[in-house]
Structures are given as structure tokens and as C-alpha cells.
Short mmCIF file of all heavy atoms in Angstrom, two decimals:
data_model
loop_
_atom_site.label_atom_id
_atom_site.label_comp_id
_atom_site.label_asym_id
_atom_site.label_seq_id
_atom_site.Cartn_x
_atom_site.Cartn_y
_atom_site.Cartn_z
N MET A 11 92.62 127.73 -2.05
CA MET A 11 93.98 128.01 -1.35
C MET A 11 94.41 126.67 -0.85
O MET A 11 95.60 126.53 -0.96
CB MET A 11 93.67 129.03 -0.47
CG MET A 11 94.89 129.38 0.32
SD MET A 11 96.01 130.32 -0.72
CE MET A 11 97.19 130.87 0.42
N LYS A 12 93.63 126.04 -0.09
CA LYS A 12 94.13 124.79 0.60
C LYS A 12 94.61 123.81 -0.47
O LYS A 12 95.70 123.04 -0.27
CB LYS A 12 93.15 124.19 1.44
CG LYS A 12 92.62 125.07 2.51
CD LYS A 12 91.50 124.61 3.29
CE LYS A 12 91.08 125.69 4.39
NZ LYS A 12 89.81 125.54 4.93
N GLY A 13 93.92 123.62 -1.56
CA GLY A 13 94.44 122.71 -2.63
C GLY A 13 95.60 123.14 -3.26
O GLY A 13 96.60 122.25 -3.60
N CYS A 14 95.95 124.47 -3.34
CA CYS A 14 97.18 124.85 -3.80
C CYS A 14 98.31 124.57 -2.93
O CYS A 14 99.43 124.35 -3.34
CB CYS A 14 97.06 126.49 -4.17
SG CYS A 14 96.08 126.83 -5.58
N LEU A 15 98.10 124.71 -1.60
CA LEU A 15 99.16 124.41 -0.62
C LEU A 15 99.45 122.89 -0.74
O LEU A 15 100.73 122.60 -0.62
CB LEU A 15 98.66 124.78 0.71
CG LEU A 15 98.51 126.18 1.02
CD1 LEU A 15 97.86 126.42 2.36
CD2 LEU A 15 99.82 126.98 0.86
N VAL A 16 98.58 122.08 -0.94
CA VAL A 16 98.80 120.69 -1.24
C VAL A 16 99.55 120.44 -2.45
O VAL A 16 100.60 119.76 -2.46
CB VAL A 16 97.48 119.92 -1.16
CG1 VAL A 16 97.78 118.44 -1.48
CG2 VAL A 16 96.79 119.87 0.20
N ALA A 17 99.14 121.11 -3.55
CA ALA A 17 99.83 121.02 -4.77
C ALA A 17 101.18 121.44 -4.67
O ALA A 17 102.12 120.89 -5.36
CB ALA A 17 99.06 121.72 -5.85
N LYS A 18 101.55 122.46 -4.05
CA LYS A 18 102.88 123.01 -3.84
C LYS A 18 103.70 122.15 -2.95
O LYS A 18 105.05 122.42 -2.94
CB LYS A 18 102.82 124.47 -3.38
CG LYS A 18 102.32 125.52 -4.28
CD LYS A 18 102.27 126.82 -3.71
CE LYS A 18 103.58 127.32 -3.27
NZ LYS A 18 103.55 128.67 -2.70
N GLY A 19 103.22 121.32 -2.19
CA GLY A 19 103.95 120.54 -1.25
C GLY A 19 104.15 121.26 0.02
O GLY A 19 104.87 120.75 0.90
N GLU A 20 103.51 122.37 0.30
CA GLU A 20 103.56 123.02 1.47
C GLU A 20 102.59 122.36 2.65
O GLU A 20 102.64 122.76 3.80
CB GLU A 20 103.26 124.53 1.38
CG GLU A 20 104.32 125.27 0.66
CD GLU A 20 103.92 126.63 0.43
OE1 GLU A 20 103.13 127.32 1.19
OE2 GLU A 20 104.65 127.33 -0.39
N ALA A 21 101.65 121.60 2.06
CA ALA A 21 100.80 120.74 3.00
C ALA A 21 100.73 119.38 2.42
O ALA A 21 100.66 119.24 1.25
CB ALA A 21 99.35 121.49 3.05
N GLU A 22 100.66 118.47 3.29
CA GLU A 22 100.67 117.13 2.88
C GLU A 22 99.34 116.53 2.56
O GLU A 22 99.13 115.71 1.63
CB GLU A 22 101.31 116.09 3.89
CG GLU A 22 102.89 116.38 3.97
CD GLU A 22 103.42 115.48 4.94
OE1 GLU A 22 102.81 114.56 5.49
OE2 GLU A 22 104.74 115.65 5.18
N VAL A 23 98.18 117.00 3.30
CA VAL A 23 96.94 116.50 3.14
C VAL A 23 95.90 117.45 3.49
O VAL A 23 96.09 118.37 4.27
CB VAL A 23 96.80 115.13 3.96
CG1 VAL A 23 96.94 115.44 5.50
CG2 VAL A 23 95.35 114.45 3.63
N TYR A 24 94.84 117.35 2.80
CA TYR A 24 93.58 118.19 3.14
C TYR A 24 92.43 117.21 3.09
O TYR A 24 92.09 116.63 2.00
CB TYR A 24 93.36 119.36 2.20
CG TYR A 24 92.15 120.10 2.40
CD1 TYR A 24 91.86 120.56 3.59
CD2 TYR A 24 91.20 120.26 1.43
CE1 TYR A 24 90.58 121.49 3.80
CE2 TYR A 24 89.99 120.97 1.68
CZ TYR A 24 89.72 121.54 2.92
OH TYR A 24 88.61 122.23 3.02
N TYR A 25 91.67 117.07 4.12
CA TYR A 25 90.48 116.29 4.29
C TYR A 25 89.16 117.28 4.35
O TYR A 25 89.23 118.24 5.05
CB TYR A 25 90.46 115.28 5.48
CG TYR A 25 91.36 114.24 5.30
CD1 TYR A 25 92.64 114.39 5.77
CD2 TYR A 25 90.97 112.99 4.73
CE1 TYR A 25 93.54 113.18 5.61
CE2 TYR A 25 91.90 112.01 4.57
CZ TYR A 25 93.06 112.10 5.06
OH TYR A 25 93.88 111.01 4.94
N ARG A 26 88.13 116.90 3.78
CA ARG A 26 86.86 117.51 3.92
C ARG A 26 85.89 116.50 4.22
O ARG A 26 85.52 115.74 3.31
CB ARG A 26 86.62 118.42 2.72
CG ARG A 26 85.24 119.04 2.64
CD ARG A 26 85.16 120.27 3.62
NE ARG A 26 83.80 120.67 3.68
CZ ARG A 26 83.53 122.00 3.58
NH1 ARG A 26 84.32 122.90 3.29
NH2 ARG A 26 82.24 122.30 3.60
N PHE A 27 85.17 116.62 5.38
CA PHE A 27 84.23 115.66 5.77
C PHE A 27 82.88 116.06 5.36
O PHE A 27 81.94 115.35 5.35
CB PHE A 27 84.25 115.43 7.33
CG PHE A 27 85.66 114.73 7.62
CD1 PHE A 27 86.63 115.43 8.15
CD2 PHE A 27 85.89 113.36 7.34
CE1 PHE A 27 87.87 114.92 8.61
CE2 PHE A 27 87.10 112.73 7.72
CZ PHE A 27 88.06 113.58 8.18
N GLY A 28 82.56 117.39 5.19
CA GLY A 28 81.29 117.89 4.98
C GLY A 28 80.85 117.93 3.59
O GLY A 28 81.63 117.61 2.60
N VAL A 29 79.59 118.15 3.23
CA VAL A 29 79.10 118.21 1.87
C VAL A 29 79.58 119.33 1.22
O VAL A 29 79.67 120.44 1.77
CB VAL A 29 77.48 118.21 1.96
CG1 VAL A 29 76.93 118.24 0.56
CG2 VAL A 29 77.04 116.93 2.69
N THR A 30 79.99 119.08 -0.07
CA THR A 30 80.36 120.20 -0.98
C THR A 30 79.68 120.08 -2.34
O THR A 30 78.86 119.07 -2.52
CB THR A 30 81.88 120.24 -1.30
OG1 THR A 30 82.10 119.01 -1.85
CG2 THR A 30 82.68 120.47 -0.02
N MET A 31 79.69 121.03 -3.21
CA MET A 31 79.14 120.91 -4.41
C MET A 31 80.10 120.64 -5.47
O MET A 31 81.42 120.89 -5.16
CB MET A 31 78.38 122.18 -4.82
CG MET A 31 77.20 122.57 -3.88
SD MET A 31 76.05 121.35 -3.69
CE MET A 31 75.00 121.56 -5.16
N GLU A 32 79.87 120.07 -6.57
CA GLU A 32 80.88 119.74 -7.44
C GLU A 32 81.75 120.78 -8.00
O GLU A 32 82.93 120.62 -8.36
CB GLU A 32 80.37 118.95 -8.66
CG GLU A 32 79.48 119.44 -9.60
CD GLU A 32 78.87 118.61 -10.66
OE1 GLU A 32 78.99 117.26 -10.49
OE2 GLU A 32 78.41 119.10 -11.63
N TRP A 33 81.16 122.05 -8.11
CA TRP A 33 81.86 123.20 -8.50
C TRP A 33 82.89 123.79 -7.49
O TRP A 33 83.82 124.52 -7.78
CB TRP A 33 81.02 124.30 -9.01
CG TRP A 33 79.88 124.62 -8.08
CD1 TRP A 33 80.01 125.49 -6.95
CD2 TRP A 33 78.51 124.14 -8.18
NE1 TRP A 33 78.82 125.57 -6.28
CE2 TRP A 33 77.85 124.67 -7.11
CE3 TRP A 33 77.86 123.38 -9.01
CZ2 TRP A 33 76.56 124.47 -6.88
CZ3 TRP A 33 76.46 123.17 -8.88
CH2 TRP A 33 75.74 123.74 -7.67
N ASP A 34 82.66 123.25 -6.27
CA ASP A 34 83.60 123.49 -5.23
C ASP A 34 84.93 122.76 -5.27
O ASP A 34 85.93 123.15 -4.55
CB ASP A 34 82.97 123.31 -3.82
CG ASP A 34 81.76 124.18 -3.39
OD1 ASP A 34 81.76 125.31 -3.95
OD2 ASP A 34 80.72 123.74 -2.89
N THR A 35 84.92 121.60 -5.94
CA THR A 35 86.07 120.75 -5.94
C THR A 35 86.77 120.60 -7.24
O THR A 35 87.77 120.21 -7.32
CB THR A 35 85.61 119.36 -5.42
OG1 THR A 35 84.52 118.84 -6.34
CG2 THR A 35 85.01 119.34 -4.09
N ALA A 36 86.12 120.85 -8.43
CA ALA A 36 86.56 120.72 -9.79
C ALA A 36 87.95 121.40 -9.93
O ALA A 36 88.92 120.67 -10.36
CB ALA A 36 85.60 121.13 -10.73
N ALA A 37 88.14 122.66 -9.64
CA ALA A 37 89.42 123.20 -9.86
C ALA A 37 90.50 122.73 -9.01
O ALA A 37 91.68 122.52 -9.29
CB ALA A 37 89.31 124.73 -9.76
N MET A 38 90.10 122.43 -7.65
CA MET A 38 91.13 121.90 -6.67
C MET A 38 91.58 120.48 -7.16
O MET A 38 92.80 120.29 -7.19
CB MET A 38 90.48 121.83 -5.38
CG MET A 38 91.48 121.29 -4.26
SD MET A 38 90.81 120.92 -2.69
CE MET A 38 90.04 122.47 -2.16
N GLN A 39 90.61 119.64 -7.67
CA GLN A 39 91.11 118.49 -8.08
C GLN A 39 92.02 118.49 -9.25
O GLN A 39 93.00 117.94 -9.33
CB GLN A 39 89.87 117.58 -8.62
CG GLN A 39 90.25 116.18 -9.06
CD GLN A 39 88.99 115.35 -9.35
OE1 GLN A 39 87.86 115.72 -9.26
NE2 GLN A 39 89.29 114.07 -9.68
N CYS A 40 91.70 119.41 -10.21
CA CYS A 40 92.70 119.58 -11.35
C CYS A 40 94.04 120.07 -10.98
O CYS A 40 95.04 119.48 -11.35
CB CYS A 40 92.03 120.69 -12.34
SG CYS A 40 93.02 120.90 -13.86
N ILE A 41 94.06 121.01 -10.05
CA ILE A 41 95.34 121.49 -9.58
C ILE A 41 96.18 120.46 -9.00
O ILE A 41 97.40 120.21 -9.06
CB ILE A 41 95.14 122.81 -8.71
CG1 ILE A 41 94.59 123.94 -9.57
CG2 ILE A 41 96.38 123.19 -8.03
CD1 ILE A 41 94.09 125.12 -8.90
N VAL A 42 95.60 119.81 -7.99
CA VAL A 42 96.30 118.74 -7.16
C VAL A 42 96.76 117.60 -8.04
O VAL A 42 97.88 117.15 -8.01
CB VAL A 42 95.35 118.24 -6.06
CG1 VAL A 42 95.95 116.93 -5.37
CG2 VAL A 42 95.08 119.48 -4.96
N GLU A 43 95.95 117.06 -8.92
CA GLU A 43 96.38 116.02 -9.82
C GLU A 43 97.36 116.45 -10.79
O GLU A 43 98.26 115.52 -11.12
CB GLU A 43 95.07 115.40 -10.55
CG GLU A 43 94.20 114.61 -9.54
CD GLU A 43 92.99 114.06 -10.07
OE1 GLU A 43 92.78 114.28 -11.33
OE2 GLU A 43 92.37 113.25 -9.43
N GLU A 44 97.36 117.51 -11.33
CA GLU A 44 98.32 118.09 -12.31
C GLU A 44 99.72 118.29 -11.65
O GLU A 44 100.75 118.09 -12.31
CB GLU A 44 97.96 119.29 -12.96
CG GLU A 44 96.87 119.17 -14.07
CD GLU A 44 97.25 118.29 -15.18
OE1 GLU A 44 98.42 118.46 -15.72
OE2 GLU A 44 96.57 117.44 -15.54
N ALA A 45 99.71 118.52 -10.31
CA ALA A 45 100.93 118.63 -9.55
C ALA A 45 101.48 117.17 -9.10
O ALA A 45 102.42 117.20 -8.38
CB ALA A 45 100.63 119.45 -8.38
N GLY A 46 100.69 116.14 -9.37
CA GLY A 46 101.14 114.80 -9.09
C GLY A 46 100.49 114.27 -7.74
O GLY A 46 100.92 113.17 -7.34
N GLY A 47 99.55 115.06 -7.29
CA GLY A 47 98.80 114.56 -5.99
C GLY A 47 97.68 113.53 -6.39
O GLY A 47 97.42 113.18 -7.57
N ILE A 48 97.03 113.24 -5.26
CA ILE A 48 95.78 112.31 -5.49
C ILE A 48 94.55 113.19 -4.75
O ILE A 48 94.73 113.73 -3.76
CB ILE A 48 96.11 111.09 -4.71
CG1 ILE A 48 97.22 110.35 -5.46
CG2 ILE A 48 94.69 110.26 -4.67
CD1 ILE A 48 97.55 108.99 -4.59
N PHE A 49 93.43 113.07 -5.48
CA PHE A 49 92.24 113.76 -5.02
C PHE A 49 91.17 112.62 -5.28
O PHE A 49 90.74 112.14 -6.23
CB PHE A 49 91.80 114.84 -5.90
CG PHE A 49 90.79 115.74 -5.45
CD1 PHE A 49 91.00 116.89 -4.74
CD2 PHE A 49 89.39 115.31 -5.71
CE1 PHE A 49 89.98 117.61 -4.22
CE2 PHE A 49 88.49 116.19 -5.20
CZ PHE A 49 88.65 117.29 -4.45
N ARG A 50 90.51 112.28 -4.06
CA ARG A 50 89.53 111.20 -4.08
C ARG A 50 88.37 111.45 -3.06
O ARG A 50 88.51 112.35 -2.14
CB ARG A 50 90.08 109.83 -3.66
CG ARG A 50 91.10 109.24 -4.57
CD ARG A 50 90.53 108.63 -5.78
NE ARG A 50 91.48 107.92 -6.66
CZ ARG A 50 92.14 108.52 -7.64
NH1 ARG A 50 92.11 109.73 -7.86
NH2 ARG A 50 93.06 107.73 -8.36
N GLN A 51 87.31 110.81 -3.26
CA GLN A 51 86.20 110.91 -2.26
C GLN A 51 86.69 110.05 -0.94
O GLN A 51 87.68 109.32 -1.03
CB GLN A 51 84.90 110.23 -2.68
CG GLN A 51 84.32 111.09 -3.96
CD GLN A 51 82.91 110.51 -4.39
OE1 GLN A 51 82.10 111.01 -3.89
NE2 GLN A 51 83.03 109.49 -5.19
N LEU A 52 86.14 110.30 0.24
CA LEU A 52 86.62 109.77 1.33
C LEU A 52 86.48 108.16 1.38
O LEU A 52 87.15 107.50 2.12
CB LEU A 52 85.95 110.31 2.61
CG LEU A 52 86.44 111.62 2.96
CD1 LEU A 52 85.55 112.23 4.12
CD2 LEU A 52 87.90 111.66 3.33
N ASP A 53 85.69 107.57 0.53
CA ASP A 53 85.51 106.16 0.45
C ASP A 53 86.50 105.64 -0.66
O ASP A 53 86.42 104.49 -1.03
CB ASP A 53 84.17 105.74 0.08
CG ASP A 53 83.61 106.19 -1.31
OD1 ASP A 53 84.28 106.92 -1.97
OD2 ASP A 53 82.41 105.77 -1.73
N ASP A 54 87.50 106.54 -1.08
CA ASP A 54 88.60 106.20 -1.94
C ASP A 54 88.01 105.97 -3.43
O ASP A 54 88.71 105.42 -4.22
CB ASP A 54 89.36 105.04 -1.51
CG ASP A 54 90.74 105.12 -1.90
OD1 ASP A 54 91.33 106.40 -1.94
OD2 ASP A 54 91.48 104.06 -2.20
N THR A 55 86.88 106.36 -3.83
CA THR A 55 86.46 106.37 -5.20
C THR A 55 86.72 107.63 -5.89
O THR A 55 86.88 108.67 -5.18
CB THR A 55 84.91 106.18 -5.33
OG1 THR A 55 84.18 107.21 -4.52
CG2 THR A 55 84.50 104.83 -4.70
N GLU A 56 86.81 107.64 -7.15
CA GLU A 56 87.19 108.83 -7.96
C GLU A 56 85.89 109.78 -7.87
O GLU A 56 84.80 109.37 -7.87
CB GLU A 56 87.45 108.43 -9.45
CG GLU A 56 88.75 107.84 -9.51
CD GLU A 56 89.13 107.78 -11.04
OE1 GLU A 56 88.69 108.58 -11.80
OE2 GLU A 56 90.01 106.76 -11.28
N MET A 57 86.23 111.13 -7.85
CA MET A 57 85.16 112.11 -7.96
C MET A 57 84.80 112.20 -9.40
O MET A 57 85.52 112.10 -10.30
CB MET A 57 85.79 113.54 -7.56
CG MET A 57 84.83 114.49 -7.35
SD MET A 57 83.81 114.47 -5.98
CE MET A 57 84.79 114.78 -4.58
N THR A 58 83.39 112.19 -9.53
CA THR A 58 82.72 112.28 -10.88
C THR A 58 82.07 113.65 -10.98
O THR A 58 81.61 114.16 -9.88
CB THR A 58 81.88 111.11 -11.17
OG1 THR A 58 80.76 111.08 -10.21
CG2 THR A 58 82.72 109.88 -11.18
N TYR A 59 81.90 114.05 -12.15
CA TYR A 59 81.16 115.37 -12.33
C TYR A 59 80.01 115.27 -13.34
O TYR A 59 79.91 114.28 -14.00
CB TYR A 59 82.19 116.34 -12.83
CG TYR A 59 83.20 116.69 -11.68
CD1 TYR A 59 84.48 115.97 -11.73
CD2 TYR A 59 82.99 117.60 -10.70
CE1 TYR A 59 85.29 116.20 -10.67
CE2 TYR A 59 83.92 117.77 -9.74
CZ TYR A 59 85.06 117.17 -9.61
OH TYR A 59 85.93 117.33 -8.76
N ASN A 60 79.25 116.34 -13.44
CA ASN A 60 78.13 116.49 -14.41
C ASN A 60 77.06 115.30 -14.03
O ASN A 60 76.53 114.71 -14.92
CB ASN A 60 78.58 116.35 -15.78
CG ASN A 60 79.52 117.46 -16.22
OD1 ASN A 60 79.18 118.62 -15.88
ND2 ASN A 60 80.45 117.23 -16.99
N ARG A 61 76.84 115.14 -12.71
CA ARG A 61 75.90 114.10 -12.20
C ARG A 61 74.43 114.77 -12.15
O ARG A 61 74.50 116.09 -12.07
CB ARG A 61 76.31 113.59 -10.82
CG ARG A 61 77.69 112.90 -10.84
CD ARG A 61 77.97 112.54 -9.47
NE ARG A 61 77.85 113.66 -8.45
CZ ARG A 61 78.78 114.34 -7.93
NH1 ARG A 61 80.08 114.09 -8.29
NH2 ARG A 61 78.49 115.21 -7.06
N GLU A 62 73.53 114.06 -12.12
CA GLU A 62 72.14 114.51 -11.82
C GLU A 62 72.17 115.37 -10.50
O GLU A 62 71.52 116.48 -10.37
CB GLU A 62 71.16 113.58 -11.79
CG GLU A 62 69.67 114.08 -11.91
CD GLU A 62 68.65 113.07 -12.22
OE1 GLU A 62 68.95 112.13 -12.95
OE2 GLU A 62 67.74 113.01 -11.39
N ASN A 63 72.81 114.74 -9.39
CA ASN A 63 72.87 115.40 -8.11
C ASN A 63 74.24 116.04 -7.98
O ASN A 63 75.22 115.25 -8.03
CB ASN A 63 72.56 114.34 -7.09
CG ASN A 63 72.84 114.90 -5.69
OD1 ASN A 63 72.96 116.17 -5.51
ND2 ASN A 63 72.59 114.11 -4.69
N SER A 64 74.35 117.27 -7.89
CA SER A 64 75.62 118.01 -7.93
C SER A 64 76.34 117.91 -6.60
O SER A 64 77.43 118.41 -6.42
CB SER A 64 75.49 119.40 -8.38
OG SER A 64 75.02 119.47 -9.78
N ARG A 65 75.78 117.38 -5.52
CA ARG A 65 76.27 117.33 -4.23
C ARG A 65 77.30 116.30 -4.07
O ARG A 65 77.18 115.28 -4.38
CB ARG A 65 75.12 117.22 -3.16
CG ARG A 65 74.25 118.30 -3.00
CD ARG A 65 72.98 117.95 -2.08
NE ARG A 65 73.36 117.55 -0.95
CZ ARG A 65 73.30 118.32 0.14
NH1 ARG A 65 72.96 119.53 0.23
NH2 ARG A 65 73.66 117.74 1.44
N ASN A 66 78.50 116.68 -3.43
CA ASN A 66 79.47 115.75 -2.99
C ASN A 66 79.20 115.29 -1.71
O ASN A 66 79.71 116.00 -0.73
CB ASN A 66 80.84 116.35 -3.16
CG ASN A 66 81.20 116.69 -4.64
OD1 ASN A 66 80.80 115.94 -5.61
ND2 ASN A 66 81.90 117.69 -4.82
N GLU A 67 78.53 114.19 -1.42
CA GLU A 67 78.05 113.86 -0.07
C GLU A 67 79.08 112.95 0.74
O GLU A 67 78.85 112.89 1.91
CB GLU A 67 76.62 113.22 -0.22
CG GLU A 67 75.70 114.26 -0.67
CD GLU A 67 74.36 113.69 -0.87
OE1 GLU A 67 74.07 112.53 -0.66
OE2 GLU A 67 73.43 114.47 -1.28
N LYS A 68 80.06 112.55 0.02
CA LYS A 68 80.94 111.64 0.66
C LYS A 68 82.23 112.22 1.25
O LYS A 68 82.97 111.61 1.92
CB LYS A 68 81.40 110.49 -0.31
CG LYS A 68 80.29 109.65 -0.73
CD LYS A 68 80.85 108.64 -1.74
CE LYS A 68 79.71 107.73 -2.32
NZ LYS A 68 80.30 106.79 -3.37
N GLY A 69 82.43 113.63 0.96
CA GLY A 69 83.59 114.30 1.45
C GLY A 69 84.74 113.86 0.49
O GLY A 69 84.57 113.16 -0.44
N PHE A 70 85.92 114.40 0.71
CA PHE A 70 87.02 114.15 -0.10
C PHE A 70 88.34 114.41 0.62
O PHE A 70 88.44 114.84 1.77
CB PHE A 70 86.97 115.02 -1.45
CG PHE A 70 87.22 116.60 -1.08
CD1 PHE A 70 88.41 117.03 -1.05
CD2 PHE A 70 86.05 117.42 -0.94
CE1 PHE A 70 88.72 118.52 -0.73
CE2 PHE A 70 86.25 118.73 -0.60
CZ PHE A 70 87.57 119.18 -0.62
N TYR A 71 89.25 113.96 -0.01
CA TYR A 71 90.73 114.23 0.44
C TYR A 71 91.55 114.55 -0.63
O TYR A 71 91.43 114.07 -1.84
CB TYR A 71 91.35 113.03 1.24
CG TYR A 71 91.63 111.78 0.50
CD1 TYR A 71 92.78 111.66 -0.01
CD2 TYR A 71 90.64 110.76 0.42
CE1 TYR A 71 93.14 110.58 -0.78
CE2 TYR A 71 91.03 109.59 -0.31
CZ TYR A 71 92.23 109.46 -0.85
OH TYR A 71 92.52 108.25 -1.61
N ALA A 72 92.59 115.22 -0.41
CA ALA A 72 93.69 115.67 -1.40
C ALA A 72 94.91 115.38 -0.69
O ALA A 72 95.15 115.95 0.37
CB ALA A 72 93.55 117.05 -1.81
N ILE A 73 95.87 114.69 -1.36
CA ILE A 73 97.29 114.52 -0.84
C ILE A 73 98.28 114.86 -1.81
O ILE A 73 97.94 114.75 -3.10
CB ILE A 73 97.56 113.03 -0.35
CG1 ILE A 73 97.12 111.96 -1.32
CG2 ILE A 73 96.56 112.74 0.84
CD1 ILE A 73 97.56 110.62 -1.00
N ASN A 74 99.44 115.26 -1.37
CA ASN A 74 100.48 115.85 -2.30
C ASN A 74 101.36 114.83 -2.97
O ASN A 74 102.09 115.07 -3.99
CB ASN A 74 101.31 116.89 -1.58
CG ASN A 74 102.16 116.36 -0.57
OD1 ASN A 74 102.04 115.17 -0.10
ND2 ASN A 74 103.09 117.16 -0.13
N HIS A 75 101.21 113.56 -2.46
CA HIS A 75 102.20 112.54 -3.10
C HIS A 75 101.53 111.19 -2.77
O HIS A 75 101.09 110.92 -1.63
CB HIS A 75 103.53 112.64 -2.47
CG HIS A 75 104.57 111.74 -3.17
ND1 HIS A 75 104.73 110.48 -2.89
CD2 HIS A 75 105.28 112.01 -4.25
CE1 HIS A 75 105.59 109.91 -3.73
NE2 HIS A 75 106.08 111.02 -4.53
N PRO A 76 101.53 110.20 -3.65
CA PRO A 76 101.00 108.88 -3.34
C PRO A 76 101.54 108.25 -2.09
O PRO A 76 100.89 107.45 -1.50
CB PRO A 76 101.26 108.14 -4.69
CG PRO A 76 101.35 109.13 -5.72
CD PRO A 76 102.03 110.36 -5.02
N ALA A 77 102.84 108.51 -1.79
CA ALA A 77 103.44 107.85 -0.66
C ALA A 77 102.78 108.31 0.66
O ALA A 77 102.87 107.61 1.71
CB ALA A 77 104.87 108.24 -0.58
N ASN A 78 101.99 109.41 0.65
CA ASN A 78 101.33 109.97 1.87
C ASN A 78 99.85 109.30 2.20
O ASN A 78 99.22 109.55 3.06
CB ASN A 78 101.21 111.45 1.82
CG ASN A 78 102.61 112.09 1.94
OD1 ASN A 78 103.52 111.49 2.55
ND2 ASN A 78 102.68 113.25 1.40
N LYS A 79 99.49 108.35 1.21
CA LYS A 79 98.16 107.84 1.33
C LYS A 79 98.20 106.82 2.35
O LYS A 79 99.03 105.87 2.53
CB LYS A 79 97.85 107.20 -0.02
CG LYS A 79 96.39 106.68 -0.05
CD LYS A 79 96.10 106.11 -1.36
CE LYS A 79 94.62 105.76 -1.26
NZ LYS A 79 94.19 104.73 -2.21
N LEU A 80 97.13 106.87 3.35
CA LEU A 80 96.97 105.94 4.40
C LEU A 80 96.51 104.64 3.76
O LEU A 80 95.60 104.72 3.07
CB LEU A 80 96.11 106.49 5.51
CG LEU A 80 96.64 107.66 6.23
CD1 LEU A 80 95.54 108.18 7.17
CD2 LEU A 80 97.79 107.31 7.09
N MET A 81 96.99 103.59 4.30
CA MET A 81 96.37 102.25 3.88
C MET A 81 95.77 101.59 5.06
O MET A 81 96.41 101.48 6.05
CB MET A 81 97.70 101.44 3.34
CG MET A 81 98.34 101.98 2.24
SD MET A 81 97.43 102.49 0.81
CE MET A 81 97.17 100.93 0.04
N PHE A 82 94.58 101.08 4.87
CA PHE A 82 93.87 100.43 5.96
C PHE A 82 93.91 98.93 5.83
O PHE A 82 93.91 98.42 4.84
CB PHE A 82 92.44 100.93 6.02
CG PHE A 82 92.41 102.31 6.28
CD1 PHE A 82 92.21 103.32 5.41
CD2 PHE A 82 92.53 102.86 7.61
CE1 PHE A 82 92.09 104.73 5.52
CE2 PHE A 82 92.36 104.21 7.86
CZ PHE A 82 92.21 105.10 6.91
#
């Protein structure tokens, strides 16, 4: 649901700091990216799938438009 709100533009960003499993993020990533958003791990690396360890331990963020990305 949260990823769909980001994809629709009703929310600008969604951050998740806790651990998830790859099946918790796969559909959200697809929906957000197909809508033109960005979905990355919190260290700004791409999310990968079909790993030996299925845990997403770095957290993730989804933003609805590249202009909303924070630059450090």
C-alpha cells in the first residue's frame, strides 16, 4: 500500500530502516520504478534479488520522483 501511494504521487517518500525479506520489497520496487520513481537500499545501492541470504538488512527507500532525492 505504501509503495502504491509513492507510485501514485500521493506520498513523496517512504523509508524503511528495519530488516525485511526480499519478497517483502520485490513488488513494491517494481511498482515504484515503473511509475518513474526510485527504489534503493539506504546506502544508495541497488536492491538485488535471488541472493543466498534473502534478508534486506540495509533498509530501503522509495521516492516518487528523482528530484525528491536528498543529496549529501
